[in-house]
Amino acid sequence: MKVLVIGGGAREHALCRSLSLDPDVTALHCAPGNAGIAEVAELHPVDQLDGAAVAALAEELGADLVVVGPEAPLVAGVADAVRAAGIPVFGPSQEAAQLEGSKAFAKDVMAGAGVPTARSYVCTTPEEIDEALDAFGAPYVVKDDGLAAGKGVVVTEDVEQARAHALACDRVVIEEFLDGPEVSLFAITDGTTVLPLQPAQDFKRALDGDEGPNTGGMGAYSPLPWAAPNLVEEVLATVLQPTVDELRRRGTPFSGLLYAGLAITSRGIRVIEFNARFGDPETQVVLARLRTPLAGLLLNSANGTLADQAPLVWRDEAAVTVVVASHNYPDTPRTGDPIEGLAEVAEKDAPHAYVLHAGTKRDGDAVLSAGGRVLSVTATGSDLTEARERAYAAVGRIRLDGSQHRTDIAEKAARG
């Protein structure tokens, strides 16, 4: 099987790494990719938001499967263009991707499917914003209706900060605050059959102790030792399957990766948001634990044959990923700094720990930072304690001037 992955972040590096280990994959391509992905896949320049260009590249390569990683190409309709060219593609249509592209659309689908979520108001005027903030009170949860790369949500006790964020958005969803721990649960679907993966938890705040601004994610771990044993079955029955069934009923079947961001509240499971693609950095830990070969699984989703898929097989190991971010992230990050220590990690920590590249580029023999989140250092172990130790040992070998990372990823869960 020849596979083309679209994207260039750590999520795509995790996907490419898993695909490169799949014996069914005979050729692996990525566009545009990054310095790390170049070690396992052949890179191609492409405008990943240009469906015609992506489809043309897939045809030129003779791809048997195209995997669209990020949300922006999906919302731009790239999967539709590839499908129209007759090539199987893992990722939802532009219409179905509105589940992530519009918070208001997602709320409407959840209402139709009877999926438990936070009460909310969709606001477009200052008057509506003030009414909604007043109705819910603090802490205020304000979400940009459109795509914002994981940084469009403000949760604050400060009404003026909440109002300022709301006014900066064209259309905004203001909702009640959900208490309790958060869980990310991914599911592979072909529009009918839904196969949940193992749950993970990510860390959105920039600083230790969940302090600081919201980010795209500073680390993740799986499994969740504190979660109820029937969590996955309950989410499949009350959230994932009803959502897929509702979208099919509406004539916009969802095929690809359905990501449910959940709060385990005192009143039960509630959906915080849906995403239409693998989450970053949770993908890094979920794929580290998946033993089932990835290519056939994604192809079954693309071809509508997921009902024929054998049950998924998981490693008993735990996995932890720690994000190394550049100076000043999540504000305007500094880029172009050399990254050292990558060869040392490969030499001393493999195979239990490895580095997935997010925002990197090659300059001759040097690897330079090229984004806010630069690396995802990922490790497995017999339990979360061992996986954490291995991940942080590898982080300690990496040198990037001004870089930052959280020191408490999975700490509480490992303590039990």
Side-chain angles (χ1 to χ4, degrees):
M1 198 190 303
K2 290 182 186 168
V3 183
L4 169 62
V5 176
I6 302 301
R11 161 188 46 222
E12 287 75 37
H13 193 176
L15 287 163
C16 285
R17 180 181 182 273
S18 289
L19 290 164
S20 73
L21 298 172
D22 186 335
D24 287 340
V25 176
T26 52
L28 182 58
H29 302 270
C30 185
N34 62 37
I37 295 173
E39 294 173 16
V40 293
E42 188 179 336
L43 302 192
H44 304 270
V46 79
D47 176 355
Q48 57 184 4
L49 300 181
D50 183 338
V54 171
L57 175 62
E59 286 185 298
E60 184 190 322
L61 296 172
D64 302 300
L65 173 67
V66 175
V67 179
V68 183
E71 58 274 24
L74 292 168
V75 172
V78 166
D80 304 81
V82 177
R83 269 192 202 97
I87 300 167
V89 59
F90 181 79
S93 67
Q94 181 174 32
E95 222 175 333
Q98 284 303 303
L99 202 60
E100 176 167 6
S102 166
K103 303 283 190 297
F105 175 80
K107 287 289 187 185
D108 191 53
V109 170
M110 283 189 264
V115 167
T117 186
R119 291 180 300 123
S120 63
Y121 295 103
V122 180
C123 308
T124 53
T125 68
E127 294 75 26
E128 288 173 347
I129 287 166
D130 287 341
E131 276 179 43
L133 292 172
D134 192 45
F136 288 131
Y140 303 98
V141 181
V142 183
K143 299 180 176 182
D144 191 333
D145 181 54
L147 289 182
K151 297 190 280 286
V153 179
V154 164
V155 181
T156 179
E157 298 279 345
D158 182 343
V159 70
E160 291 308 323
Q161 188 188 354
R163 181 181 284 115
H165 181 63
L167 290 170
C169 305
D170 287 336
R171 187 157 80 146
V172 69
V173 174
I174 296 174
E175 61 184 41
E176 67 176 328
F177 176 77
L178 296 174
D179 63 337
E182 293 185 13
V183 173
S184 301
L185 186 61
F186 303 159
I188 309 275
T189 179
D190 58 6
T192 304
T193 302
V194 182
L195 275 186
L197 304 183
Q198 288 289 308
Q201 186 174 56
D202 79 330
F203 295 76
K204 282 278 184 269
R205 298 284 186 171
L207 308 175
D208 283 5
D210 289 328
E211 299 288 332
N214 247 4
T215 71
M218 294 299 290
Y221 69 94
S222 178
L224 312 182
W226 49 267
N230 66 339
L231 174 69
V232 173
E233 290 76 13
E234 187 180 344
V235 175
L236 176 61
T238 62
V239 174
L240 299 168
Q241 192 71 56
T243 300
V244 168
D245 291 346
E246 173 68 11
L247 284 162
R248 190 175 67 250
R249 188 187 68 74
R250 291 173 175 228
T252 53
F254 187 104
S255 157
L257 194 289
L258 178 59
Y259 164 148
L262 308 162
I264 312 299
T265 77
S266 52
R267 303 190 310 283
I269 293 166
R270 297 287 185 274
V271 175
I272 300 167
E273 64 177 358
F274 282 124
N275 290 326
R277 39 74 198 180
F278 278 104
D280 184 342
E282 302 98 319
T283 301
Q284 289 85 304
V285 291
V286 173
L287 291 186
R289 298 186 57 225
L290 180 65
R291 196 185 283 278
T292 298
L294 188 60
L297 175 61
L298 303 187
L299 188 63
N300 276 334
S301 163
N303 286 338
T305 52
L306 212 48
D308 302 334
Q309 173 73 38
L312 300 181
V313 181
W314 296 91
R315 295 184 174 88
D316 291 332
E317 293 176 308
V320 171
T321 193
V322 179
V323 170
V324 176
S326 55
H327 178 73
N328 207 35
Y329 177 79
D331 293 327
T332 308
R334 194 173 82 201
T335 58
D337 288 313
I339 303 163
E340 295 171 339
L342 296 171
E344 218 178 308
V345 174
E347 185 190 326
K348 294 181 176 169
D349 300 298
H352 302 299
Y354 48 89
V355 178
L356 297 168
H357 291 232
T360 67
K361 65 178 181 186
R362 192 165 279 287
D363 181 18
D365 289 337
V367 175
L368 306 180
S369 62
R373 292 187 294 175
V374 181
L375 305 168
S376 281
V377 180
T378 305
T380 55
S382 57
D383 57 18
L384 286 173
T385 299
E386 186 174 46
R388 280 191 87 241
E389 285 168 0
R390 287 171 169 173
Y392 279 109
V395 168
R397 300 189 205 282
I398 289 164
R399 295 174 296 286
L400 170 61
D401 187 47
S403 69
Q404 51 172 321
H405 65 271
R406 283 184 57 161
T407 66
D408 62 348
I409 304 299
E411 184 177 40
K412 204 188 287 185
R415 278 205 312 263

